[in-house]
Amino acid sequence: MKRLLMSALAAAVLVVPAAEAAPVKKAAPAKRAPGKPDWVHTVVATPEGGMRMGNPAAKVKLIEYGARTCPTCAAFAINGAPLLAKQYVASGQVSFEFRDYPVHGAIDLAPILLGHCVPNRAFFPLLDAMMANQRALIGRPGEIPQAKQDELQKQPPNAVATYLGKFYGYTDFVVKAGLPQARANACLADRKALDAIVERTATANKTYTISGTPTFIVNGVVADKVLDWAGLEPVLRAAGAK
């Protein structure tokens, strides 16, 4: 990971290195029996600032605190989330809520703001697309010139997010995906949304002592040292998922 420019949010945002993860085969799309609720596409915003797919009355409630710039999170999104959706969310046994956590500070702000700049039904497809293209986005060659870094240190957080969103390609990525440029610009400039990120990050740290991403919460309990599907599935089954 390149040198990361930290904005005024530095005091409120935890910075933890993200680990690499090996790719695994994707699962086939979940099939739904006629007349059954389409839980995988039942997506709502939660009061905590996350987005939840699935049965709101599911016996097992799974929360992931994840970062769109975290390679381990991307590996789970590519390799684990499809299995989770097919085998557990589709049946109504498990609900899955994703809560953005800016593990790398300022670099995470643009993808979070843009990721919440779409209708509920488009949230998880855009999240998956960002994760799948993570290496191409944050792995781009070249550094931010030192003079520009010095200048950005004096800018408000939304200006930093706007610049980094453009620099790393996230803004162009969502515009090419269909988000109007004016809408993308407005979301990047939304100070209330950015303040909410800071507040929710602080709440997550206080409530769950987040030490890195991904952090999985199963029925209110942190799944300790669980970073992938191989580790998470037994926790879900122990909680009652079948």
Side-chain angles (χ1 to χ4, degrees), residues 66 82 90 105 162 178 184 218:
T162 298
V218 179

Side-chain angles (χ1 to χ4, degrees), residues 153-209:
Q153 292 285 1
K154 303 173 185 178
Q155 297 296 314
N158 287 96
V160 175
T162 298
Y163 177 84
L164 293 180
K166 185 66 175 178
F167 181 84
Y168 286 105
Y170 282 102
T171 307
D172 290 342
F173 184 81
V174 298
V175 169
K176 288 178 181 178
L179 187 69
Q181 181 72 59
R183 175 64 177 156
N185 292 343
C187 287
L188 288 168
D190 188 339
R191 183 55 191 259
K192 288 185 178 179
L194 192 145
D195 289 343
I197 294 172
V198 177
E199 182 179 351
R200 291 164 184 164
T201 300
T203 298
N205 291 336
K206 182 179 180 179
T207 305
Y208 298 112
T209 315

Side-chain angles (χ1 to χ4, degrees), residues 38-101:
D38 185 2
W39 292 127
V40 172
H41 296 99
T42 301
V43 179
V44 299
T46 67
E48 295 78 15
M51 295 294 292
R52 185 189 67 223
M53 73 160 67
N55 179 2
K59 181 177 182 180
V60 181
K61 294 176 172 57
L62 170 65
I63 299 168
E64 176 192 355
Y65 280 96
R68 296 167 194 252
T69 62
C70 158
T72 308
C73 301
F76 177 77
I78 295 168
N79 307 316
L83 293 168
L84 170 67
K86 178 183 180 182
Q87 297 179 21
Y88 297 101
V89 175
S91 67
Q93 300 177 70
V94 178
S95 63
F96 174 50
E97 180 182 348
F98 184 87
R99 296 181 185 175
D100 278 285
Y101 186 88

